[in-house]
Amino acid sequence: MVIKLFLQIFFSLPVWLLRCLVFKRSITINNQILDFQTQVFLGLQSLQANSFDDPNSFNSAKELREIIESSREGLPLNAKPRMLVETLDHLIQSQYGDLKVREYCPERQLVQSPILYFHGGGYVFGSIKTHDPWLKFFSAEMGVRIFSLEYRLAPENKFPSSLQDSNLALEWLGDKLSLPIDKISLCGDSAGAHLAGSLSTYRALNNLSLPLSQCLIYPMIDPTCSSKSQNDYAEGFFLSKKAMIWFWDKLMHSRKDLQDPIFNLTINPNTALPKTLVITAGFDPLSDEGESYARLLHNNGNEVHQIHYPHLIHGFVNMTALRAAKDASKDIINTYKNYLNQ
């Protein structure tokens, strides 16, 4: 309760007052200046006892999952939706067990093409619950129906478990709405963005119908974690290089996965993919690989558009109580809306 009240006060403070109260120099790396409110927020976060900068400090993935999700529950990190959004949970029966899908129905539907959404969390944590505030905001701002998938998590379920779940959910959604797959868009953040790209690649390589488009928000792309941004922003900016290496290790079934273009998205699949919107953040270890993926798609003749937010960090769509994060999220939504209305 005390933390919640403190954060509510913090998020309400104007930036000019924050600068007067907190004597910090602005952080500049690679000619990018970190948003000041975000910078102070990261400083507050570093005071927490539990951080996933180094997942190896936890006894198990299950312990990490429980601590992170419980520590964030109820915190006012997200902006409120501007219209009523109703939710309805569905169950998809499969040979791997029931899969839960949460449907978001805005009061006014302005976009006809539905979105199948995959949450982030390094494939190890995250759920439809952790991303519920963001998706209510997303659905309300865009006026679109969103279906959020609770896919199986690693390391209990290695690659390609989540891919199997996502493909099943896409086909279920097409049947449920009596829509062809090419009228449905895929979207995800971080690991969820990798899952969206992985699913599109899988369907392309297997000559299956492709989704209308894909929106990849600061995507995981490169399991080698060898980009310049992985080193430049290795720690201190919410997501760490150590965490990324650990996440990929928990997801990977065997070393053979590194040669699979469905797993390792840095490998050219030499096939047509859906039109793609790639979102990158300046102070994010994944920034360079997201940009490289956009270039790879472009060089292959695919329609791709990249938006870069140099002043923000990984995970910002789940932190829309921060002014700059909210503005960027609304900008993404407006661009994505045009993708779906074309």
Side-chain angles (χ1 to χ4, degrees):
M1 182 63 73
V2 174
I3 295 176
K4 183 177 179 179
L5 179 60
F6 176 79
L7 287 175
Q8 287 174 335
I9 295 170
F10 169 75
F11 289 132
S12 68
L13 293 176
V15 175
W16 67 264
L17 180 57
L18 201 58
R19 288 185 181 276
C20 294
L21 296 174
V22 181
F23 299 99
K24 279 182 175 287
R25 277 188 170 185
S26 294
I27 295 176
T28 303
I29 301 176
N30 296 328
N31 295 317
Q32 300 179 129
I33 302 174
L34 180 62
D35 170 66
F36 189 76
Q37 189 187 29
T38 302
Q39 179 184 342
V40 177
F41 179 69
L42 285 174
L44 295 174
Q45 186 193 48
S46 68
L47 300 177
Q48 286 186 312
N50 298 309
S51 169
F52 64 90
D53 273 356
D54 184 7
N56 293 300
S57 63
F58 294 86
N59 294 323
S60 65
K62 184 174 183 291
E63 181 189 26
L64 171 66
R65 191 178 301 147
E66 291 173 350
I67 289 176
I68 288 179
E69 295 192 7
S70 64
S71 65
R72 294 180 182 177
E73 189 172 359
L75 295 183
L77 300 177
N78 295 86
K80 301 297 183 183
R82 63 175 178 172
M83 71 169 77
L84 178 66
V85 177
E86 294 185 349
T87 60
L88 177 64
D89 288 348
H90 306 274
L91 287 179
I92 306 174
Q93 293 184 336
S94 78
Q95 60 180 309
Y96 312 109
D98 290 346
L99 296 175
K100 183 183 288 188
V101 175
R102 179 163 294 173
E103 178 182 2
Y104 294 82
C105 303
E107 190 174 25
R108 295 189 303 278
Q109 189 172 334
L110 306 174
V111 176
Q112 296 306 310
S113 299
I115 295 171
L116 177 58
Y117 193 92
F118 308 124
H119 67 79
Y123 282 103
V124 175
F125 64 94
S127 64
I128 58 176
K129 184 178 179 181
T130 60
H131 281 59
D132 185 73
W134 153 238
L135 291 181
K136 283 178 179 171
F137 178 81
F138 190 172
S139 178
E141 285 293 318
M142 188 180 282
V144 67
R145 289 172 76 185
I146 299 176
F147 294 80
S148 177
L149 174 66
E150 184 102 304
Y151 56 85
R152 287 173 289 164
L153 297 177
E156 296 89 344
N157 303 283
K158 299 280 192 176
F159 177 81
S161 297
S162 51
L163 176 62
Q164 293 166 341
D165 295 346
S166 65
N167 190 56
L168 182 64
L170 178 61
E171 296 188 345
W172 169 85
L173 184 56
D175 291 340
K176 173 180 172 55
L177 301 181
S178 299
L179 281 176
I181 299 298
D182 64 7
K183 299 298 182 184
I184 301 170
S185 186
L186 304 181
C187 185
D189 64 286
S190 194
H194 175 269
L195 184 52
S198 177
L199 176 57
S200 293
T201 304
Y202 166 80
R203 293 188 67 88
L205 292 176
N206 286 279
N207 298 312
L208 300 170
S209 57
L210 296 180
L212 170 67
S213 61
Q214 53 183 2
C215 177
L216 313 181
I217 304 172
Y218 33 78
M220 286 171 56
I221 298 292
D222 183 5
T224 69
C225 301
S226 57
S227 69
K228 183 176 183 295
S229 62
Q230 285 277 3
N231 295 319
D232 288 346
Y233 310 103
E235 57 183 19
F237 298 101
F238 183 68
L239 177 66
S240 70
K241 180 176 181 176
K242 280 183 180 179
M244 283 310 310
I245 293 171
W246 189 82
F247 289 146
W248 281 113
D249 178 68
K250 297 304 177 188
L251 175 65
M252 186 168 57
H253 184 267
S254 74
R255 300 288 297 179
K256 289 181 180 179
D257 293 337
L258 296 175
Q259 308 306 317
D260 185 347
I262 298 172
F263 178 86
N264 184 350
L265 298 184
T266 67
I267 299 174
N268 192 336
N270 294 309
T271 187
L273 291 172
K275 61 181 180 180
T276 302
L277 177 61
V278 177
I279 309 301
T280 52
F283 289 79
D284 180 1
L286 306 185
S287 178
D288 285 354
E289 59 197 69
E291 183 174 346
S292 295
Y293 185 64
R295 189 180 303 113
L296 172 67
L297 296 187
H298 174 76
N299 291 341
N300 270 359
N302 293 290
E303 182 181 347
V304 60
H305 181 56
Q306 182 197 356
I307 305 177
H308 183 66
Y309 297 96
H311 55 303
L312 291 176
I313 60 172
H314 190 88
F316 69 79
V317 299
N318 280 303
M319 306 174 190
T320 49
L322 295 168
R323 293 175 183 81
K326 181 180 180 181
D327 290 344
S329 297
K330 292 176 72 172
D331 185 57
I332 293 167
I333 288 168
N334 287 332
T335 305
Y336 192 17
K337 184 188 295 184
N338 292 332
Y339 259 55
L340 299 187
N341 283 331
Q342 288 177 359

